[in-house]
């Protein structure tokens, strides 16, 4: 995935009360990306703070303030307690979560909708290890996040002291970098470096672990500090020769596809992508992580590729002779069996992370840099070529793809058990809320249906745990998204299994007046696991029945649970009540809303490419593979 230029001070202005922060509407400074030295590596307004004596814990709080942080999600404990004391007097908004994992996912959701670094904080030992899942999730999905943890005093590190865990060692493989601070004087520059690392290059999580005696010790604070990261110099501009070669391949291709990944979202490059797509005339596929970065309603959009992608998108990649890959990483869920993926296609691969290029699929034209910079350069090069040779004719290619779109549209089969189709519930949530809403999914069947049946017209409207597939992501991530975009309607579309992982954050939402809306797609089972048991294990449903739905003991009863947490709560188990129930939820904005949508356990996610087979064997229903003639 890719990320644009470092965030400049002009992008860190304080949000006005109640105003949503939508990064796609922020103007990029004219010189951003042209020269990394032209933008300060220290985030925030770059105030000059003269030397001031304070404690390390006060320095942590002051550093966060100077870095422009406004919202923090956390939970105190002994080793981080010195920092929580000065935090009481800070202008920053600290939101007390009920579990540290919730703090991490909330920081992710906040970062995803604002484009700013999300911040979470926890104590040592189990507090820090409870953050690990969210840190790994942020690492897999390239989310800018800084996790601050307390650590036992430096003199007892390594002695198995009470609540000691080597969180730096634990998280080193799943962060961009992990810092251990034992000297209070290091706090300002470490904090600045952590935020710089998290937000530049390929964004991701950074851990700052601070020993308790470093928090309590005296130091002299001044700002801005010097950022010294030798060897860390993300390349932003694409190599001119490679860009020109990519343009030449596009001009010569007869069946090109723009294969667009989540890096284009992270780089805030949706406008640049639209220009390139319309200039080239090529079809566009948007991966699970890129939904919304190119409008679903645009005639050049042919769908989402992958294991549960549309027939038109999957086949477009398979039949293509050129993949124009932007901020994507050839994930196994997109490629299927790698050796059979797009067998006749040459590959242009643009990404800010050089480690991703040719990692899974060899690139014929590799371009290292930010897609925010590369896409306009590619458009300029194409425009010059087209002026000489004319625009390519993709009439036959589009006839083939449009026929697939018309023949194999997304849809569903009505359940035969009299219960609602989960796809209908999710489609109506999207239709009644509209494209300005934010939709956050957990992982599993409901995640795939939410990616398929809600229409996404703008970036930062779709949040999900893509690479990690974390159950429990939706509720806390939706909470963070609502804090970051308070004026938008935010839905957590969750499964009954996922919801039970982190539903305690409803207490956080209720007490802090964060009015998210939670749609539990309650099929009384671990739905995606059950689907695989249906298809590949002869219907032997080993340990997938959760007893939460129709004709069960309903443990827990989600309506009663939500009521206990101070939320508005409803149950909907009839098709004729779906719209009215959603409308009720949309009208309530003073507290969280939870709806228990009781749906059929027999509904499955289609299309599907079974694991271990070529994408050519995509199924539109059980044992039903599309029939088509290849485009000449």
């Amino acid at each position: 995935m890719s990320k644009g230029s470092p965030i400049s001070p002009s992008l860190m202005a304080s949000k006005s009360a109640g105003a949503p922060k939508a990064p796609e509407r922020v103007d990029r400074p004219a010189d951003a990306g042209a020269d990394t030295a032209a933008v300060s590596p220290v985030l925030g307004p770059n105030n000059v703070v003269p030397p001031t004596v304070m404690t390390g814990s006060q320095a942590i709080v002051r550093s966060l303030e100077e870095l422009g942080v406004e919202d923090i999600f956390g939970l105190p404990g002994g080793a981080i307690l010195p920092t929580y004391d000065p935090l009481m007097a800070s202008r920053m908004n600290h939101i007390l979560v009920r579990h540290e994992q919730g703090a991490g996912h909330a920081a992710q959701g906040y970062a995803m909708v604002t484009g700013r670094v999300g911040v979470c904080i926890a104590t040592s030992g189990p507090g820090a290890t409870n953050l690990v899942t969210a840190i790994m999730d942020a690492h897999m999905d390239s989310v800018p996040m800084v996790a601050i943890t307390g650590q036992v005093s430096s003199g007892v590190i390594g002695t198995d002291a009470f609540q000691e865990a080597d969180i730096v060692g634990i998280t080193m493989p799943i962060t961009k970098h992990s810092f251990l601070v034992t000297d209070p004087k290091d706090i300002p520059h470490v904090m600045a470096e952590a935020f710089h690392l998290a937000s530049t290059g390929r964004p991701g999580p950074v851990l700052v672990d601070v020993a308790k005696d470093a928090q309590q010790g005296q130091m002299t604070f001044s700002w801005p500090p010097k950022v010294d990261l030798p060897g860390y110099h993300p390349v932003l501009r694409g190599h001119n020769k490679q860009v020109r070669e990519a343009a030449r391949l596009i001009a010569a291709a007869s069946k090109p596809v723009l294969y667009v990944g989540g890096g284009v979202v992270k780089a805030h490059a949706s406008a640049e992508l639209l220009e390139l797509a319309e200039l080239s005339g090529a079809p566009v596929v948007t991966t699970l992580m890129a939904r919304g970065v190119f409008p679903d309603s645009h005639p050049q959009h042919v769908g989402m590729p992958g294991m549960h992608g549309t027939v038109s998108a999957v086949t477009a990649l398979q039949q293509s002779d050129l993949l124009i890959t932007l901020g994507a990483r050839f994930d196994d869920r997109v490629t299927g069996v790698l050796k059979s993926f797009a067998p006749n296609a040459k590959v242009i691969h643009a990404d800010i992370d050089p480690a991703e290029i040719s990692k899974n699929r060899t690139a014929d034209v590799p371009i290292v840099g930010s897609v925010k910079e590369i896409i306009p350069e590619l458009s300029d090069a194409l425009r010059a070529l087209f002026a000489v040779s004319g625009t390519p004719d993709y009439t036959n290619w589009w006839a083939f793809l449009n026929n697939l779109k018309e023949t194999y549209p997304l849809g569903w089969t009505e359940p035969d058990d009299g219960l609602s189709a989960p796809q209908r519930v999710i489609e109506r949530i999207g239709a009644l809320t509209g494209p300005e809403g934010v939709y956050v999914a957990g992982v599993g069947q409901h995640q795939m249906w939410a990616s398929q049946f809600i229409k996404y017209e703008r970036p930062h409207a779709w949040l999900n745990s893509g690479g990690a597939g974390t159950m429990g992501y939706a509720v806390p991530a939706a909470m963070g998204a609502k804090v970051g975009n308070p004026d938008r309607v935010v839905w957590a579309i969750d499964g009954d299994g996922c919801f039970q992982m982190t539903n305690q954050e409803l207490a956080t939402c209720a007490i802090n007046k964060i009015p998210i809306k939670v749609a539990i797609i309650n099929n009384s089972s671990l739905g995606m696991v059950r689907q695989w048991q249906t298809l590949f294990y002869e219907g032997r449903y080993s340990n997938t029945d959760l007893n939460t739905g129709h004709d069960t003991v309903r443990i827990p009863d989600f309506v009663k649970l939500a009521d206990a947490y101070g939320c508005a709560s409803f149950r909907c188990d009839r098709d004729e009540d779906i719209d009215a129930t959603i409308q009720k939820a949309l009208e309530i904005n003073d507290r969280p809303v939870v709806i228990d949508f009781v749906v059929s356990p027999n509904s499955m996610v289609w299309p599907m490419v079974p694991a271990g087979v070529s994408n050519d064997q995509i199924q539109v229903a059980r044992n039903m593979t599309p029939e088509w003639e290849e485009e000449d």
Side-chain angles (χ1 to χ4, degrees), residues 445-532:
Q445 287 180 314
H446 65 278
Q447 174 192 27
M448 294 298 102
W449 289 321
S451 70
Q452 291 175 330
F453 293 104
I454 293 175
K455 301 302 181 185
Y456 298 100
E457 299 295 319
R458 62 178 191 88
H460 313 289
W462 163 245
L463 282 63
N464 78 124
S465 174
T470 301
M471 294 181 70
Y473 171 88
V475 169
M479 175 174 71
K482 185 65 175 177
V483 172
N485 267 183
D487 286 355
R488 292 192 187 276
V489 175
V490 178
W491 281 95
I493 298 174
D494 220 356
D496 47 309
C498 287
F499 178 71
Q500 293 186 75
M501 298 280 182
T502 52
N503 62 42
Q504 67 270 20
E505 299 310 330
L506 289 175
T508 309
C509 292
I511 289 172
N512 290 277
K513 300 189 184 304
I514 305 169
I516 64 170
K517 306 182 194 306
V518 181
I520 305 172
I521 308 302
N522 182 5
N523 58 10
S524 197
S525 64
L526 300 172
M528 189 62 85
V529 182
R530 189 180 193 275
Q531 175 166 332
W532 281 52

Side-chain angles (χ1 to χ4, degrees), residues 3-7 43 117 144 176 194-201 203-204 232:
K3 168 69 179 173
S5 56
I7 299 174
L43 298 191
V117 177
K176 287 189 73 174
F195 275 70
H196 179 64
L197 285 169
S199 61
T200 58
Y232 181 71

Side-chain angles (χ1 to χ4, degrees), residues 306-311 314-315 408 410 452 531 535-536 604-611 613-628:
M307 176 176 278
H308 294 292
T310 62
V311 171
V314 171
T315 308
Y408 302 104
L410 287 172
Q452 291 175 330
Q531 175 166 332
L535 297 175
F536 309 121
M604 290 196 277
V605 182
W606 300 106
M608 180 178 182
V609 179
V613 305
S614 168
N615 282 354
D616 290 321
Q617 297 181 46
I618 186 172
Q619 297 181 13
V620 293
R622 193 170 186 177
N623 299 321
M624 291 181 59
T625 299
E627 296 181 4
W628 60 75

